[in-house]
Amino acid sequence: MKKYGALDRFRLIAALLVVSVHTSPLAGVSPIADFVLTRAVARLAVPFFMTVTGFFVLPELLYGDGKNCGRLAASLKKTGLIYLISVILYLPLGLYAGHYNGITPLKALKMLIFDGAFYHLWYLPAVMLGLSLIWLLSRFMRPGAIFAAAIFLYIVGLGGDSYYGLITLTPLGGIYGAIFAFSSYTRIFMAPLFLMMGAAAAKMKTVKKPLPLFVDLFAAMTAEALVLRSLDVQRHDSMYIFLPPCLWFLFQLLLGMDVKPLPCLRSASMVIYIVHPAAIVAVRLAAELTGLETLLVENALVHYLAVCALSGIAAVIWLLAEKRPDPPGRSRIELDAGALAHNVEALRERLPDGCLLMPVVKADAYGHGAVPISKELNRLGIRAFAVATVEEGARLRRGGIRGDILILGYTPPRQIGLVRRYRLIQTVTDLDYARELNALGRKVRVHLAVDTGMNRLGERADSENIFEMFGLKHLKIEGVFTHLCADDRPETKFADFTAGQTERFARLCDELEKRKIKVKKHILNSYGLFRYPEIGGDYARVGIALYGVLSDGPTTAELAADLKPVLTFRADIAQVKTVLPGENVGYGLGFTAERVMEVAVVAAGYADGVPRALSGRGEVLIKGRRAPMVGLICMDQFMVDVTGMDVRAGDSAVIIGSDGEERITACELADKCGTVANEIFSRLGSRPERRIVRGGKNWEKGFCDTDRA
Ligand SMILES: *Cc1c(COP(=O)(O)O)cnc(C)c1O
């Protein structure tokens, strides 16, 4: 966390440097001072922003497994949006300044894609082009090769920028004519290199003692700039040979600084970057209107400071208006992104060859929150999901989840329109149902459920009806699956039953092969993957294990040993009171005190998902210690005994999760209530808000995403 603090601060400096490029604050001091500031120091700013983007966006694409491009897509979307807003913002100014005189559609396109629609905005399309190029290359090149390609592009860029005068002396000069037909400058060629440098910085150990190297390289770069200037060979002056190495050590210097993050500077620097040209116009206008031109415009330093101040005011207004996540409610569920990633990794290691994870996120991801959990899974490269109902599938799509979504349960034929609209895959239960869907006359993607002994959904594995369904022309049958129902227990009786199920399914699969029917086949659930991974299949439909537990504690604790619970369910303590001997607590005179007690009222009840069956047996964790529940659990509160524990209103109680050394698992609750963890989870109410937390921090301290359920 800490290493980003200096990056945050330098963002602000970089934004102010960009302003200096457009205002030349030292022009009044000396031309050389102005040149060094705006053509050397300030030339670090834009490459710095690009490196930061690469640092945060590219590692998961280049070094993560599954070439996941979730962050890249999000970054493209965000940059595109900022660009769009800026283009619209500067449209009137551009018109006024005559930027669009004699414009043709082709010129407009060139301006929009390569030049940046307003002169300083080129950075935004350059980053988008650079990211897209790297994404494209990552399909078939290793990071090292992409880096080499980026260096090559940088050299091409140099030739059209500060070394152009030298290039025109060689036969290569003509090539640049062609480049300039597309883009007025070659500075966009710098984006891939700086983006890749960011990715490399994230992957590598930080360099020790980068300061002297940075200083030397900066001196070399300044000398390079001055020499090129005296030779008068520059066509533009934003790229130097010494710029990338110089920036590398600057970046290392910043990464090595141990300062607190200041996230507000991220948007502040972006706002300054976007609005400062408007601020320049405003300052000039104000000077004209007040007759203060000598002070506000002709004095370059004052002019610069006025523009910075005005842009700064815009940034402050933006920050004040920016939407912050609402403060956490009285009962809440934290989802540990690290634990989820750990479980996905642990489960992937168990997958047999050729088998993919199909996380089961039915029942609101077992009460965890289907949208935040699935978003996180998308980021981890997951591309197939299973739900139980069409509404659950639709909710994922509306939440922006990508990939296949299989509905495992029954959907009435009257709702098939929804299955199609949300690009879902429906399970077919039997031939009659299949015919009904087919009769609707619209293509539907489906998997066939096959019954191998559970006697739940599906045609029997040996039924001819299965093959008849393949003849229905509106059904696009993409898969066949069955469900194991006795794989959770190790005893022989259960193992034999599972072997029977597996054999019946395998026979069906053989028969399909014989008839040259190619479909996906899947059978494993959580226990199946743990106990019988050799069964294989194209997917493992893993539910409960993904959330870091198995259904019940005693028989399976050892299987789940390498999983981490994802969920923490906690609630505030509303009030603490003293109860005297002989007094009662809660409904129905359910508890009578025998001694003087301190009782805390916890602000969650069975409507929040605290099972009423826990009354008198459950415990919560407060300040790392167990406190027993007393009396009957109410709809909105329950009471715990905190005698001698120094508990106050406003403290929080953990109902499921860990606190210090202590942990209460969903399995512990399940055992006390005579059920399975699956039921405890899936009955968590809609009242507690769900949020993803990262880096082991907790929600109270504000380290959380704005992703919500
Ligand atoms: C719920 C369900 C699963 C997931 O089961 P877990 O035991 O939670 O892994 C898999 N397949 C089907 C058909 C299901 O209904």
Side-chain angles (χ1 to χ4, degrees), residues 540-587:
R541 303 184 308 268
V542 176
I544 190 73
L546 189 74
Y547 309 106
V549 281
L550 284 172
S551 306
D552 57 36
T555 57
T556 54
E558 165 198 343
L559 289 184
D562 64 346
L563 300 175
K564 291 185 181 169
V566 170
L567 171 145
T568 301
F569 177 21
R570 63 168 95 228
D572 287 337
I573 288 166
Q575 190 180 355
V576 180
K577 56 179 49 171
T578 305
V579 177
L580 301 175
E583 290 185 344
N584 294 296
V585 176
Y587 283 116

Short mmCIF file of all heavy atoms in Angstrom, two decimals, residues 540-587:
data_model
loop_
_atom_site.label_atom_id
_atom_site.label_comp_id
_atom_site.label_asym_id
_atom_site.label_seq_id
_atom_site.Cartn_x
_atom_site.Cartn_y
_atom_site.Cartn_z
N ALA A 540 -15.60 -27.93 -13.60
CA ALA A 540 -15.94 -28.31 -12.24
C ALA A 540 -16.85 -27.20 -11.72
O ALA A 540 -16.44 -26.05 -11.68
CB ALA A 540 -14.69 -28.44 -11.40
N ARG A 541 -18.09 -27.57 -11.38
CA ARG A 541 -19.06 -26.57 -10.89
C ARG A 541 -18.87 -26.41 -9.38
O ARG A 541 -19.53 -27.07 -8.59
CB ARG A 541 -20.49 -27.04 -11.17
CG ARG A 541 -20.80 -27.34 -12.63
CD ARG A 541 -22.26 -27.70 -12.80
NE ARG A 541 -22.67 -28.77 -11.89
CZ ARG A 541 -22.66 -30.06 -12.19
NH1 ARG A 541 -22.25 -30.47 -13.37
NH2 ARG A 541 -23.06 -30.96 -11.31
N VAL A 542 -17.97 -25.53 -9.01
CA VAL A 542 -17.60 -25.43 -7.60
C VAL A 542 -18.36 -24.28 -6.93
O VAL A 542 -18.30 -23.14 -7.37
CB VAL A 542 -16.09 -25.21 -7.46
CG1 VAL A 542 -15.72 -25.01 -6.00
CG2 VAL A 542 -15.35 -26.40 -8.03
N GLY A 543 -19.08 -24.63 -5.88
CA GLY A 543 -19.81 -23.61 -5.13
C GLY A 543 -19.15 -23.36 -3.79
O GLY A 543 -18.23 -22.56 -3.66
N ILE A 544 -19.57 -24.12 -2.79
CA ILE A 544 -19.21 -23.83 -1.41
C ILE A 544 -17.70 -23.68 -1.18
O ILE A 544 -17.27 -22.81 -0.43
CB ILE A 544 -19.85 -24.89 -0.46
CG1 ILE A 544 -19.70 -24.49 1.00
CG2 ILE A 544 -19.28 -26.29 -0.70
CD1 ILE A 544 -20.57 -23.36 1.41
N ALA A 545 -16.89 -24.49 -1.85
CA ALA A 545 -15.44 -24.45 -1.61
C ALA A 545 -14.82 -23.12 -2.03
O ALA A 545 -13.86 -22.65 -1.44
CB ALA A 545 -14.74 -25.59 -2.36
N LEU A 546 -15.43 -22.52 -3.05
CA LEU A 546 -14.94 -21.23 -3.53
C LEU A 546 -14.96 -20.18 -2.41
O LEU A 546 -14.13 -19.27 -2.37
CB LEU A 546 -15.87 -20.80 -4.65
CG LEU A 546 -15.49 -19.61 -5.46
CD1 LEU A 546 -14.36 -20.00 -6.39
CD2 LEU A 546 -16.69 -19.14 -6.27
N TYR A 547 -15.93 -20.32 -1.53
CA TYR A 547 -16.09 -19.33 -0.46
C TYR A 547 -15.23 -19.67 0.75
O TYR A 547 -15.31 -19.05 1.80
CB TYR A 547 -17.58 -19.20 -0.11
CG TYR A 547 -18.39 -18.98 -1.36
CD1 TYR A 547 -19.18 -19.98 -1.92
CD2 TYR A 547 -18.27 -17.77 -2.06
CE1 TYR A 547 -19.87 -19.79 -3.11
CE2 TYR A 547 -18.96 -17.57 -3.25
CZ TYR A 547 -19.75 -18.58 -3.77
OH TYR A 547 -20.40 -18.37 -4.96
N GLY A 548 -14.43 -20.74 0.61
CA GLY A 548 -13.40 -21.03 1.60
C GLY A 548 -13.79 -21.98 2.70
O GLY A 548 -13.08 -22.11 3.69
N VAL A 549 -14.95 -22.64 2.54
CA VAL A 549 -15.37 -23.63 3.53
C VAL A 549 -15.97 -24.82 2.82
O VAL A 549 -16.17 -24.79 1.61
CB VAL A 549 -16.43 -23.05 4.50
CG1 VAL A 549 -15.80 -22.19 5.55
CG2 VAL A 549 -17.48 -22.27 3.75
N LEU A 550 -16.28 -25.88 3.54
CA LEU A 550 -17.10 -26.94 2.98
C LEU A 550 -18.36 -27.03 3.82
O LEU A 550 -18.50 -26.35 4.83
CB LEU A 550 -16.32 -28.25 2.92
CG LEU A 550 -15.28 -28.26 1.76
CD1 LEU A 550 -14.38 -29.47 1.82
CD2 LEU A 550 -15.96 -28.18 0.40
N SER A 551 -19.30 -27.87 3.37
CA SER A 551 -20.65 -27.79 3.94
C SER A 551 -20.73 -28.02 5.44
O SER A 551 -21.46 -27.36 6.15
CB SER A 551 -21.57 -28.75 3.21
OG SER A 551 -21.50 -28.48 1.84
N ASP A 552 -19.99 -29.03 5.95
CA ASP A 552 -20.03 -29.21 7.40
C ASP A 552 -18.61 -29.39 7.93
O ASP A 552 -17.71 -29.83 7.22
CB ASP A 552 -20.96 -30.35 7.82
CG ASP A 552 -20.58 -31.66 7.18
OD1 ASP A 552 -19.37 -31.90 7.00
OD2 ASP A 552 -21.49 -32.44 6.84
N GLY A 553 -18.44 -29.05 9.19
CA GLY A 553 -17.12 -28.98 9.78
C GLY A 553 -16.41 -30.30 10.01
O GLY A 553 -15.42 -30.60 9.35
N PRO A 554 -16.94 -31.12 10.92
CA PRO A 554 -16.16 -32.25 11.43
C PRO A 554 -15.64 -33.21 10.35
O PRO A 554 -14.49 -33.61 10.38
CB PRO A 554 -17.16 -32.98 12.33
CG PRO A 554 -18.21 -31.99 12.65
CD PRO A 554 -18.25 -31.00 11.54
N THR A 555 -16.49 -33.55 9.36
CA THR A 555 -16.05 -34.56 8.39
C THR A 555 -15.12 -33.99 7.33
O THR A 555 -14.48 -34.72 6.61
CB THR A 555 -17.25 -35.20 7.67
OG1 THR A 555 -17.98 -34.15 7.05
CG2 THR A 555 -18.11 -36.00 8.62
N THR A 556 -15.04 -32.68 7.22
CA THR A 556 -14.34 -32.14 6.06
C THR A 556 -13.31 -31.06 6.36
O THR A 556 -12.74 -30.49 5.44
CB THR A 556 -15.37 -31.55 5.07
OG1 THR A 556 -16.17 -30.61 5.75
CG2 THR A 556 -16.23 -32.62 4.47
N ALA A 557 -13.07 -30.81 7.65
CA ALA A 557 -12.16 -29.73 8.01
C ALA A 557 -10.82 -29.88 7.28
O ALA A 557 -10.24 -28.90 6.80
CB ALA A 557 -11.92 -29.73 9.51
N GLU A 558 -10.39 -31.14 7.15
CA GLU A 558 -9.08 -31.39 6.59
C GLU A 558 -9.06 -31.12 5.08
O GLU A 558 -8.08 -30.58 4.55
CB GLU A 558 -8.76 -32.85 6.94
CG GLU A 558 -7.66 -33.52 6.26
CD GLU A 558 -7.84 -35.04 6.46
OE1 GLU A 558 -8.60 -35.47 7.36
OE2 GLU A 558 -7.23 -35.76 5.70
N LEU A 559 -10.17 -31.44 4.40
CA LEU A 559 -10.24 -31.17 2.96
C LEU A 559 -10.10 -29.68 2.67
O LEU A 559 -9.47 -29.27 1.70
CB LEU A 559 -11.58 -31.64 2.38
CG LEU A 559 -11.84 -33.13 2.25
CD1 LEU A 559 -13.17 -33.36 1.56
CD2 LEU A 559 -10.72 -33.79 1.45
N ALA A 560 -10.73 -28.88 3.53
CA ALA A 560 -10.78 -27.44 3.27
C ALA A 560 -9.57 -26.71 3.85
O ALA A 560 -9.53 -25.49 3.85
CB ALA A 560 -12.07 -26.85 3.82
N ALA A 561 -8.57 -27.47 4.34
CA ALA A 561 -7.47 -26.84 5.06
C ALA A 561 -6.74 -25.78 4.24
O ALA A 561 -6.29 -24.79 4.78
CB ALA A 561 -6.48 -27.90 5.53
N ASP A 562 -6.64 -25.97 2.91
CA ASP A 562 -5.91 -24.96 2.14
C ASP A 562 -6.83 -23.90 1.54
O ASP A 562 -6.46 -23.19 0.62
CB ASP A 562 -5.04 -25.62 1.07
CG ASP A 562 -5.86 -26.36 0.03
OD1 ASP A 562 -7.06 -26.59 0.30
OD2 ASP A 562 -5.32 -26.71 -1.03
N LEU A 563 -8.04 -23.77 2.08
CA LEU A 563 -8.94 -22.71 1.62
C LEU A 563 -9.02 -21.62 2.68
O LEU A 563 -8.78 -21.87 3.86
CB LEU A 563 -10.33 -23.27 1.37
CG LEU A 563 -10.43 -24.38 0.32
CD1 LEU A 563 -11.85 -24.91 0.26
CD2 LEU A 563 -10.00 -23.88 -1.05
N LYS A 564 -9.38 -20.40 2.23
CA LYS A 564 -9.52 -19.30 3.19
C LYS A 564 -10.95 -18.75 3.14
O LYS A 564 -11.41 -18.38 2.05
CB LYS A 564 -8.56 -18.16 2.83
CG LYS A 564 -7.11 -18.51 3.04
CD LYS A 564 -6.25 -17.29 2.78
CE LYS A 564 -4.78 -17.63 2.97
NZ LYS A 564 -3.90 -16.55 2.49
N PRO A 565 -11.61 -18.65 4.27
CA PRO A 565 -12.97 -18.08 4.27
C PRO A 565 -12.96 -16.66 3.70
O PRO A 565 -12.09 -15.86 4.03
CB PRO A 565 -13.36 -18.08 5.74
CG PRO A 565 -12.51 -19.12 6.37
CD PRO A 565 -11.21 -19.09 5.62
N VAL A 566 -13.93 -16.39 2.83
CA VAL A 566 -13.98 -15.11 2.13
C VAL A 566 -14.78 -14.07 2.93
O VAL A 566 -14.51 -12.88 2.88
CB VAL A 566 -14.62 -15.32 0.73
CG1 VAL A 566 -14.92 -14.00 0.05
CG2 VAL A 566 -13.69 -16.18 -0.13
N LEU A 567 -15.76 -14.55 3.69
CA LEU A 567 -16.76 -13.64 4.25
C LEU A 567 -16.56 -13.33 5.73
O LEU A 567 -16.20 -14.21 6.52
CB LEU A 567 -18.14 -14.29 4.02
CG LEU A 567 -19.39 -13.71 4.65
CD1 LEU A 567 -20.57 -13.91 3.69
CD2 LEU A 567 -19.70 -14.37 5.98
N THR A 568 -16.76 -12.08 6.08
CA THR A 568 -16.86 -11.67 7.48
C THR A 568 -18.19 -10.95 7.64
O THR A 568 -18.49 -10.02 6.90
CB THR A 568 -15.72 -10.72 7.87
OG1 THR A 568 -14.49 -11.38 7.65
CG2 THR A 568 -15.83 -10.32 9.34
N PHE A 569 -18.98 -11.44 8.59
CA PHE A 569 -20.30 -10.85 8.83
C PHE A 569 -20.21 -10.18 10.19
O PHE A 569 -19.89 -10.83 11.18
CB PHE A 569 -21.32 -12.00 8.82
CG PHE A 569 -22.74 -11.60 9.13
CD1 PHE A 569 -23.19 -10.29 8.99
CD2 PHE A 569 -23.66 -12.57 9.54
CE1 PHE A 569 -24.50 -9.94 9.25
CE2 PHE A 569 -24.97 -12.23 9.81
CZ PHE A 569 -25.40 -10.92 9.67
N ARG A 570 -20.42 -8.87 10.21
CA ARG A 570 -20.34 -8.20 11.51
C ARG A 570 -21.44 -7.18 11.70
O ARG A 570 -22.10 -6.76 10.74
CB ARG A 570 -18.97 -7.57 11.72
CG ARG A 570 -18.60 -6.49 10.76
CD ARG A 570 -17.36 -5.74 11.23
NE ARG A 570 -16.14 -6.23 10.66
CZ ARG A 570 -15.04 -6.50 11.37
NH1 ARG A 570 -15.04 -6.35 12.67
NH2 ARG A 570 -13.95 -6.91 10.78
N ALA A 571 -21.66 -6.79 12.95
CA ALA A 571 -22.69 -5.80 13.25
C ALA A 571 -22.22 -4.94 14.41
O ALA A 571 -21.39 -5.36 15.21
CB ALA A 571 -24.00 -6.49 13.60
N ASP A 572 -22.77 -3.73 14.47
CA ASP A 572 -22.42 -2.81 15.56
C ASP A 572 -23.13 -3.19 16.86
O ASP A 572 -24.22 -3.77 16.83
CB ASP A 572 -22.85 -1.38 15.19
CG ASP A 572 -21.96 -0.77 14.14
OD1 ASP A 572 -20.81 -1.22 14.01
OD2 ASP A 572 -22.43 0.14 13.43
N ILE A 573 -22.52 -2.80 17.94
CA ILE A 573 -23.19 -2.92 19.23
C ILE A 573 -23.93 -1.61 19.48
O ILE A 573 -23.33 -0.53 19.42
CB ILE A 573 -22.17 -3.22 20.34
CG1 ILE A 573 -21.70 -4.67 20.14
CG2 ILE A 573 -22.78 -3.02 21.72
CD1 ILE A 573 -20.48 -5.02 20.91
N ALA A 574 -25.25 -1.74 19.67
CA ALA A 574 -26.08 -0.54 19.76
C ALA A 574 -26.06 0.03 21.17
O ALA A 574 -26.13 1.25 21.37
CB ALA A 574 -27.51 -0.87 19.36
N GLN A 575 -25.97 -0.83 22.16
CA GLN A 575 -26.13 -0.37 23.53
C GLN A 575 -25.57 -1.42 24.48
O GLN A 575 -25.61 -2.61 24.17
CB GLN A 575 -27.64 -0.19 23.80
CG GLN A 575 -27.95 0.51 25.10
CD GLN A 575 -29.46 0.65 25.32
OE1 GLN A 575 -30.26 0.29 24.46
NE2 GLN A 575 -29.83 1.15 26.47
N VAL A 576 -25.02 -0.97 25.60
CA VAL A 576 -24.56 -1.92 26.62
C VAL A 576 -25.29 -1.56 27.91
O VAL A 576 -25.40 -0.38 28.25
CB VAL A 576 -23.03 -1.82 26.83
CG1 VAL A 576 -22.57 -2.80 27.90
CG2 VAL A 576 -22.30 -2.08 25.53
N LYS A 577 -25.85 -2.55 28.60
CA LYS A 577 -26.59 -2.22 29.82
C LYS A 577 -26.33 -3.24 30.92
O LYS A 577 -25.86 -4.35 30.65
CB LYS A 577 -28.09 -2.13 29.53
CG LYS A 577 -28.64 -3.38 28.92
CD LYS A 577 -30.13 -3.24 28.68
CE LYS A 577 -30.46 -1.93 27.96
NZ LYS A 577 -31.85 -1.86 27.53
N THR A 578 -26.62 -2.83 32.16
CA THR A 578 -26.44 -3.73 33.29
C THR A 578 -27.77 -4.42 33.58
O THR A 578 -28.82 -3.78 33.62
CB THR A 578 -26.00 -2.92 34.53
OG1 THR A 578 -24.83 -2.19 34.17
CG2 THR A 578 -25.69 -3.83 35.70
N VAL A 579 -27.74 -5.75 33.74
CA VAL A 579 -28.95 -6.51 34.06
C VAL A 579 -28.76 -7.10 35.46
O VAL A 579 -27.71 -7.68 35.76
CB VAL A 579 -29.18 -7.63 33.02
CG1 VAL A 579 -30.38 -8.48 33.40
CG2 VAL A 579 -29.36 -7.03 31.63
N LEU A 580 -29.77 -6.93 36.29
CA LEU A 580 -29.66 -7.37 37.69
C LEU A 580 -30.17 -8.79 37.86
O LEU A 580 -30.99 -9.27 37.05
CB LEU A 580 -30.45 -6.41 38.58
CG LEU A 580 -29.98 -4.94 38.49
CD1 LEU A 580 -30.88 -4.03 39.32
CD2 LEU A 580 -28.52 -4.83 38.96
N PRO A 581 -29.73 -9.47 38.89
CA PRO A 581 -30.18 -10.85 39.11
C PRO A 581 -31.70 -10.92 39.14
O PRO A 581 -32.35 -10.05 39.70
CB PRO A 581 -29.58 -11.21 40.47
CG PRO A 581 -28.45 -10.27 40.68
CD PRO A 581 -28.79 -9.02 39.94
N GLY A 582 -32.27 -11.94 38.49
CA GLY A 582 -33.72 -12.11 38.47
C GLY A 582 -34.40 -11.40 37.31
O GLY A 582 -35.56 -11.66 37.01
N GLU A 583 -33.68 -10.48 36.62
CA GLU A 583 -34.28 -9.79 35.47
C GLU A 583 -34.19 -10.66 34.22
O GLU A 583 -33.35 -11.54 34.12
CB GLU A 583 -33.58 -8.44 35.24
CG GLU A 583 -33.90 -7.44 36.35
CD GLU A 583 -33.33 -6.06 36.08
OE1 GLU A 583 -32.43 -5.92 35.21
OE2 GLU A 583 -33.77 -5.12 36.75
N ASN A 584 -35.08 -10.36 33.26
CA ASN A 584 -35.13 -11.16 32.03
C ASN A 584 -34.49 -10.43 30.86
O ASN A 584 -34.37 -9.21 30.86
CB ASN A 584 -36.58 -11.48 31.67
CG ASN A 584 -37.20 -12.39 32.72
OD1 ASN A 584 -36.76 -13.52 32.90
ND2 ASN A 584 -38.18 -11.85 33.44
N VAL A 585 -34.13 -11.19 29.82
CA VAL A 585 -33.60 -10.61 28.59
C VAL A 585 -34.39 -11.17 27.41
O VAL A 585 -34.51 -12.39 27.27
CB VAL A 585 -32.09 -10.97 28.41
CG1 VAL A 585 -31.58 -10.45 27.07
CG2 VAL A 585 -31.26 -10.40 29.55
N GLY A 586 -34.95 -10.27 26.61
CA GLY A 586 -35.56 -10.67 25.34
C GLY A 586 -36.97 -11.19 25.45
O GLY A 586 -37.60 -11.16 26.50
N TYR A 587 -37.51 -11.65 24.28
CA TYR A 587 -38.88 -12.15 24.17
C TYR A 587 -39.10 -13.40 25.02
O TYR A 587 -38.17 -14.19 25.22
CB TYR A 587 -39.18 -12.53 22.72
CG TYR A 587 -39.46 -11.36 21.81
CD1 TYR A 587 -38.61 -11.08 20.74
CD2 TYR A 587 -40.59 -10.56 22.00
CE1 TYR A 587 -38.86 -10.04 19.88
CE2 TYR A 587 -40.85 -9.49 21.14
CZ TYR A 587 -39.98 -9.25 20.08
OH TYR A 587 -40.24 -8.21 19.25
#
